[in-house]
Amino acid sequence: MKFYLEDVSEVFSKTGSSEQGLSESEAASRLEKNGKNKLAQAKSKSLVKRFFEQLSDPMIIILIVAAVISAVSTVYEGKMTGATAFPTDTVIILVVVLINAVLGVLQESKAEKAIEALQEMSAATSKVIRDGRIMTVKSEDLTVGDVIVLEAGDAVPADCRIFESASLKIEEAALTGESVPVNKMIAALGVENGNDIPLGDRKNMAYMGSSVVYGRGKAVVTATGMGTEMGKIADAITQAEDGQTPLQKKLSQLSKVLTFLVLGICVFIFAFTLFMQRDIFTSGNSTDIFNSVLNVFMVAVSLAVAAIPEGLAAVVTIVLSIGVTNMSKKNAVIRKLTAVETLGCAQIICSDKTGTLTQNKMTVVDHYGDETLLATAMALCSDAEEGADGTVTGEPTEAALVNYAISLGLGKNGLKKDSPRIGEAPFDSGRKMMSTVHETADGIIQYTKGAPDVVVDLCKSAYVDGKIVPMTDEIKAAIAKENKRMADKALRVLAAAFRKYDSAPSDFAPESLENELVFVGLTGMIDPVRPEVKAAIDECRSAGIIPVMITGDHKDTAVAIATELGILSDPSQAMTGAELSALSDEEFADRVENTFVYARVQPEHKTRIVNAWRAKGKITAMTGDGVNDAPSIKSADIGVGMGITGTDVTKNVADMVLTDDNFATIVNAVEEGRRIYDNIRKAIQFLLGSNLAEVLSIFIATLLSFTILKAPHLLFINLVTDCFPALALGLEKSEKDIMHRKPRDPSDGVFAGGLGFDVLYQGLLVTALTLAAFFIGERFEAGYWAFRNIAECEQGMTMAFLTMSMCEIFHSLNMRSQRGSMIAMSIKGSHNVPLFAAMVASLLLTTAVIEVPFLANAFGFTPIGFAEYATSIGLAISIIPIVEIVKLIQRTVAKKKNRA
């Protein structure tokens, strides 16, 4: 229906609503009938599709091909020999591949559910009038006929017809492509020559997908979900793409490099081995030739299996998803996975003062001027409201002013009754003030409140001792003195003024109202510092992070708060917005590293501050709540939106939303980001070191013409023995020094910080221990220390498998810290229970594969005695003291470098 052509009364009639909105029961009934106010979502992948995607990996395809060829070989060999043969290797490979695919699907589903839960936590809300009361509901629960309240910074949640507007401006670029905000109106529109009115000209409508940039208003919902104008183009916006974090991209690149490298090595091994066995091709026995080629192919496949860490991608995804879920429980909702990694690199945190560093519980504790008139002006020139029970709701500063008036016997409801509002110029962060116009028994009066320096400059007179007198330099000096007195006590200071009219003004634009004012007085409010912030600031310093405070408050107030918190040590480290505007980019670049407090700033100053730090190569986080903060939040490396006071526009562009608007939560999130990244690196080091050991063992054994481990053995190690400890490493708690390190360089590669060397020497160490186990096992089997053919030594293979598996299980303890002592961590009471559980599970499964007869037969293992078992365990456990010694040497060298 074309509601823009209808009068407001007709719109209410057709939607079955009124200015008092719907009742709760009627809204619930309509919602059940018409469905949620949501656009069609992109269809999620089916379980079958996800399963086959898990099987589409090139290395998995190679394994499946190898399994098929192995099966064909077994059948062929059985026919040639007349014996019944069972394709054991084929079954093992396919079972492991199947288990891997199922686990992959489950892990993907778990990660998706975690993200869905986060989206639910950060779901958009709207202010709606139901049963005559203003309440906040999820935007998806709106229905036709609901009356919504729109304010600057709100995202319009549905298509609606405006019936109340106070300088309401809405930006509709998402629908019309026009970036200039549209001035909204109430009256019905007319049609000329029978032509319909284009969407961009429907000035009495507000559409889903647009955002309020100025003023306030009320509107009745006329369409929801797919019935909205945005719903008509929903197909174009529901094609969601899964993004990868920088680390995931690096690992994808690493996987590709490894794949090509391994394929090259496999081709070399295949060709080299066939060349070494070239005599068999002259025998003319097709069966021998076939078996020889097949065996060589299986060796090449084994090498491929050994080189590719099949569980790495799954481990990284799971650790990230668990990490962001944990962060959400600590009041930091991650909206983009990239923020998790970037948080660990944060070097600068630019934070608002009010509500983030302070408690946002304002109370008027001081004043200057006629108190009755001052309280009346402040209460009427605010959008905070007094409830029937006397409680005040609204923005904290305005609520404090209304409570101040109530404390003097000037209730807001009574003031509104005597002086109803007939017009207004809403607050704007650029003007730093707001004005309201009221009709009284004595005529029309305007009240203006805002920043003292701005309001005083617009005053031509002052109200002194019950009289209006001309503004003089002496009066201005007295006002400035009182302003500084309050600001020195860390009070937030606001000024009030009035203007009288003979009749209601015809234009309520700020430039028409805000001049020729009469100064009334000042109020001083205290907003106590959050008790936990001081410790968070200290933690920032020790972590190499610079905290920067940005506020619209007076410079003296900002300096007092910043000094109390330890953000600055000298007043010279503070700068006003006016001083910043006077600096060129080059001059500001010279001062930005020594300026930690910015007062009286405009929104555009925030963007400039962010860009200046980023130009210095610093990873910068920026907090914000107002609609005008969106550009600076978007410019920052980490945009942080406020969950309580933040507008929808700001939260929508943020990388992270704080559900408690607390600075300490940002610091906690930085620590969690560092922990997650640390743990992912530990898992990478553990898995790549293990795979390197497997590759080297297979490579050396092939060159020496014996079989140390087969493809099924390696698959078992990669997907059972390794994966569980790697996942448990992802749950490791933060190391004690994690917030005493400098921020990580975002350009660091996967192997930065000595990780490449660690992977190399630890891989070589496990290789040596595994080869030692094989040769000891071969001697046990031979019963004497003389050379013999070891091409197929089951006892040596069994001991090598046990040693490598146990070695990697014990080595996971070493991986709890890249440089710290595992033994010292355990003595100090730092334990990773999931890791111990994973170790026990892996130990039992490995032992079962060797000792349970049908499993041992399937894997080609032979029973081993206590001596062989103890020898393998002894070799495996030796990795702990060896790595501990290397870590000690590394710590000693690092200390010497630091001293130098």
Side-chain angles (χ1 to χ4, degrees):
M1 298 180 69
K2 299 179 179 180
F3 290 104
Y4 45 89
L5 302 178
E6 308 283 351
D7 289 329
V8 171
S9 58
E10 188 68 21
V11 174
F12 278 126
S13 176
K14 290 182 177 179
T15 57
S17 186
S18 69
E19 290 190 20
Q20 300 304 307
L22 302 173
S23 65
E24 284 272 37
S25 58
E26 177 62 19
S29 175
R30 294 189 184 191
L31 188 65
E32 184 177 358
K33 179 181 178 181
N34 301 323
K36 295 279 190 181
N37 175 36
K38 297 170 69 175
L39 297 179
Q41 301 292 313
K43 289 184 179 180
S44 59
K45 299 173 186 174
S46 67
L47 288 176
V48 174
K49 185 175 182 181
R50 289 181 181 181
F51 179 79
F52 281 106
E53 282 184 351
Q54 294 290 328
L55 300 179
S56 64
D57 183 270
M59 297 314 300
I60 297 297
I61 292 172
I62 290 175
L63 287 176
I64 294 172
V65 170
V68 171
I69 293 176
S70 178
V72 171
S73 168
T74 303
V75 172
Y76 178 77
E77 185 177 350
K79 284 184 177 181
M80 295 299 294
T81 61
T84 303
F86 184 77
T88 305
D89 284 359
T90 300
V91 172
I92 292 174
I93 292 174
L94 291 180
V95 167
V96 173
V97 167
L98 182 65
I99 292 172
N100 183 56
V102 171
L103 287 175
V105 170
L106 292 175
Q107 290 158 357
E108 186 180 331
S109 299
K110 183 177 179 180
E112 189 176 82
K113 286 179 181 177
I115 292 170
E116 287 175 358
L118 292 177
Q119 289 173 341
E120 182 71 16
M121 289 182 65
S122 59
T125 58
S126 300
K127 290 179 286 292
V128 62
I129 299 176
R130 287 183 181 168
D131 291 322
R133 296 181 294 110
I134 295 179
M135 59 181 67
T136 300
V137 301
K138 288 182 180 179
S139 297
E140 65 178 34
D141 291 337
L142 292 178
T143 189
V144 172
D146 264 327
V147 171
I148 59 174
V149 179
L150 297 173
E151 296 175 344
D154 288 348
V156 178
D159 288 1
C160 45
R161 171 71 157 82
I162 299 165
F163 66 86
E164 183 179 303
S165 173
S167 304
L168 188 64
K169 294 182 181 181
I170 296 181
E171 189 265 304
E172 300 175 337
L175 287 167
T176 66
E178 178 56 60
S179 59
V180 178
V182 179
N183 287 298
K184 293 298 179 178
M185 55 185 288
I186 299 171
L189 303 176
V191 178
E192 295 182 4
N193 302 322
N195 296 322
D196 195 10
I197 300 174
L199 188 146
D201 294 332
R202 299 172 191 171
K203 296 187 177 181
N204 57 8
M205 297 290 292
Y207 292 103
M208 175 189 279
S210 57
S211 55
V212 181
V213 296
Y214 187 76
R216 62 179 182 83
K218 293 179 182 177
V220 58
V221 175
T222 57
T224 61
M226 295 303 291
T228 63
E229 293 293 329
M230 184 64 78
K232 296 175 184 178
I233 56 173
D235 287 343
I237 62 176
T238 56
Q239 303 301 317
E241 292 185 5
D242 296 328
Q244 285 188 314
T245 71
L247 177 62
Q248 287 175 319
K249 290 177 181 176
K250 288 176 184 175
L251 290 177
S252 295
Q253 294 168 356
L254 176 63
S255 181
K256 288 178 182 178
V257 171
L258 282 176
T259 299
F260 287 114
L261 181 64
V262 168
L263 287 175
I265 294 174
C266 289
V267 170
F268 168 76
I269 290 294
F270 186 78
F272 175 79
T273 308
L274 286 180
F275 175 77
M276 295 297 292
Q277 298 177 5
R278 60 188 180 277
D279 292 344
I280 201 168
F281 291 98
T282 62
S283 67
N285 188 326
S286 60
T287 302
D288 291 344
I289 294 173
F290 177 82
N291 287 334
S292 179
V293 172
L294 178 66
N295 289 335
V296 174
F297 176 77
M298 293 304 291
V299 169
V301 168
S302 299
L303 192 60
V305 171
I308 303 299
E310 289 86 353
L312 183 56
V315 167
V316 172
T317 301
I318 291 172
V319 171
L320 280 172
S321 64
I322 292 173
V324 297
T325 301
N326 290 339
M327 291 171 85
S328 70
K329 293 176 182 176
K330 297 177 182 177
N331 301 313
V333 178
I334 300 297
R335 299 186 69 252
K336 300 173 185 175
L337 272 181
T338 52
V340 177
E341 291 178 42
T342 315
L343 277 167
C345 310
Q347 297 164 293
I348 312 294
I349 300 178
C350 299
S351 173
D352 284 332
K353 176 182 74 68
T354 305
T356 308
L357 298 172
T358 59
Q359 296 180 31
N360 209 16
K361 295 179 180 177
M362 305 296 291
T363 305
V364 176
V365 295
D366 204 347
H367 77 282
Y368 170 70
D370 185 293
E371 191 167 23
T372 301
L373 179 58
L374 178 62
T376 299
M378 290 295 193
L380 284 173
C381 189
S382 76
D383 291 324
E385 297 293 339
E386 180 186 6
D389 59 353
T391 59
V392 177
T393 58
E395 192 273 328
T397 298
E398 296 197 330
L401 295 172
V402 172
N403 279 318
Y404 170 54
I406 292 172
S407 71
L408 298 175
L410 301 168
K412 176 74 179 278
N413 292 333
L415 292 175
K416 285 170 61 180
K417 185 176 180 181
D418 295 337
S419 306
R421 186 186 295 188
I422 61 172
E424 66 184 273
F427 176 80
D428 178 86
S429 57
R431 296 177 8 255
K432 296 178 183 168
M433 70 180 88
M434 72 174 287
S435 299
T436 56
V437 182
H438 304 264
E439 186 175 10
T440 71
D442 298 326
I444 306 299
I445 189 167
Q446 167 193 326
Y447 292 115
T448 297
K449 81 170 192 301
D453 51 344
V454 178
V455 173
V456 171
D457 285 345
L458 299 173
C459 293
K460 297 295 184 183
S461 310
Y463 190 78
V464 180
D465 297 329
K467 298 178 182 178
I468 298 176
V469 300
M471 180 65 74
T472 63
D473 290 340
E474 289 77 11
I475 294 175
K476 283 189 175 182
I479 295 170
K481 182 179 179 181
E482 287 298 312
N483 185 17
K484 187 175 188 307
R485 178 183 66 81
M486 294 185 197
D488 285 345
K489 295 192 296 182
L491 301 185
R492 184 179 186 187
V493 186
L494 289 178
F498 70 86
R499 179 181 178 183
K500 291 188 175 181
Y501 298 86
D502 294 331
S503 60
S506 58
D507 185 2
F508 292 104
E511 55 269 20
S512 298
L513 297 179
E514 292 165 351
N515 52 69
E516 305 292 333
L517 303 179
V518 180
F519 177 80
V520 174
L522 305 172
T523 56
M525 288 171 276
I526 187 71
D527 183 11
V529 169
R530 288 180 180 266
E532 64 275 18
V533 167
K534 179 68 170 65
I537 295 291
D538 292 340
E539 193 169 19
C540 273
R541 298 289 189 193
S542 65
I545 301 169
I546 299 173
V548 176
M549 187 174 86
I550 301 175
T551 179
D553 271 354
H554 194 278
K555 184 177 180 179
D556 292 339
T557 305
V559 168
I561 293 289
T563 302
E564 180 183 350
L565 290 173
I567 291 176
L568 53 67
S569 56
D570 189 274
S572 64
Q573 296 169 335
M575 181 187 294
T576 65
E579 292 170 339
L580 175 55
S581 296
L583 296 176
S584 66
D585 289 341
E586 291 76 16
E587 291 171 327
F588 183 43
D590 291 336
R591 292 189 57 181
V592 68
E593 292 182 295
N594 294 307
T595 305
F596 309 120
V597 173
Y598 296 86
R600 315 304 291 153
V601 297
Q602 302 278 8
E604 59 268 21
H605 291 144
K606 288 188 173 184
T607 305
R608 193 175 176 195
I609 294 165
V610 168
N611 291 337
W613 277 113
R614 294 190 70 196
K616 296 283 185 181
K618 303 293 185 181
I619 301 300
T620 306
M622 169 64 82
T623 71
D625 52 10
V627 62
N628 290 326
D629 291 334
S632 59
I633 285 180
K634 203 168 184 179
S635 298
D637 297 288
I638 310 161
V640 183
M642 301 293 111
I644 299 174
T645 60
T647 59
D648 291 340
V649 173
T650 304
K651 286 187 276 190
N652 286 341
V653 300
D655 302 298
M656 177 174 75
V657 176
L658 307 182
T659 59
D660 62 352
D661 291 9
N662 193 338
F663 179 85
T665 300
I666 305 175
V667 181
N668 291 338
V670 169
E671 179 178 353
E672 186 69 10
R674 290 187 177 190
R675 184 191 72 84
I676 291 170
Y677 195 86
D678 265 12
N679 288 351
I680 289 175
R681 279 172 54 86
K682 291 170 186 174
I684 291 171
Q685 180 180 342
F686 174 67
L687 290 174
L688 291 183
S690 299
N691 283 88
L692 178 61
E694 293 166 16
V695 169
L696 292 175
S697 298
I698 297 294
F699 189 75
I700 292 171
T702 303
L703 292 180
L704 296 178
S705 300
F706 68 88
T707 302
I708 189 168
L709 292 169
K710 296 180 179 179
H713 307 157
L714 297 168
L715 277 174
F716 183 91
I717 292 172
N718 284 357
L719 298 174
V720 178
T721 306
D722 288 354
C723 258
F724 293 124
L727 279 173
L729 285 171
L731 302 176
E732 184 71 39
K733 295 177 183 178
S734 299
E735 295 184 41
K736 289 187 177 180
D737 69 337
I738 198 166
M739 291 300 280
H740 294 278
R741 310 174 193 163
K742 292 181 179 179
R744 175 176 53 83
D745 188 335
S747 63
D748 283 351
V750 174
F751 297 108
L755 189 141
F757 170 76
D758 291 345
V759 168
L760 180 61
Y761 94 79
Q762 289 163 12
L764 287 169
L765 177 57
V766 175
T767 301
L769 294 172
T770 302
L771 289 170
F774 177 87
F775 287 114
I776 292 172
E778 187 271 332
R779 292 298 92 195
F780 271 119
E781 184 173 312
Y784 54 89
W785 295 94
F787 179 79
R788 72 186 187 93
N789 186 358
I790 58 171
E792 286 285 346
C793 176
E794 290 186 354
Q795 187 145 323
M797 190 185 301
T798 303
M799 285 188 65
F801 173 79
L802 178 60
T803 300
M804 179 172 281
S805 296
M806 293 298 100
C807 205
E808 292 177 8
I809 289 171
F810 291 125
H811 186 44
S812 65
L813 289 173
N814 289 323
M815 292 298 94
R816 293 187 62 199
S817 174
Q818 187 183 3
R819 291 289 177 267
S821 168
M822 177 275 292
I823 297 173
M825 291 172 70
S826 299
I827 292 173
K828 292 177 182 178
S830 174
H831 303 295
N832 184 335
V833 176
L835 180 59
F836 282 108
M839 287 177 59
V840 171
S842 296
L843 176 61
L844 291 175
L845 289 170
T846 302
T847 303
V849 166
I850 294 172
E851 298 298 334
V852 176
F854 80 92
L855 289 176
N857 290 335
F859 278 86
F861 293 139
T862 187
I864 57 175
F866 176 78
E868 294 96 319
Y869 195 94
T871 301
S872 294
I873 296 297
L875 286 169
I877 207 169
S878 69
I879 196 169
I880 292 178
I882 295 173
V883 172
E884 283 284 297
I885 292 169
V886 175
K887 284 184 181 180
L888 176 62
I889 295 170
Q890 289 174 322
R891 290 196 299 272
T892 304
V893 171
K895 284 180 182 178
K896 288 182 178 179
K897 282 185 178 179
N898 291 335
R899 288 185 192 134

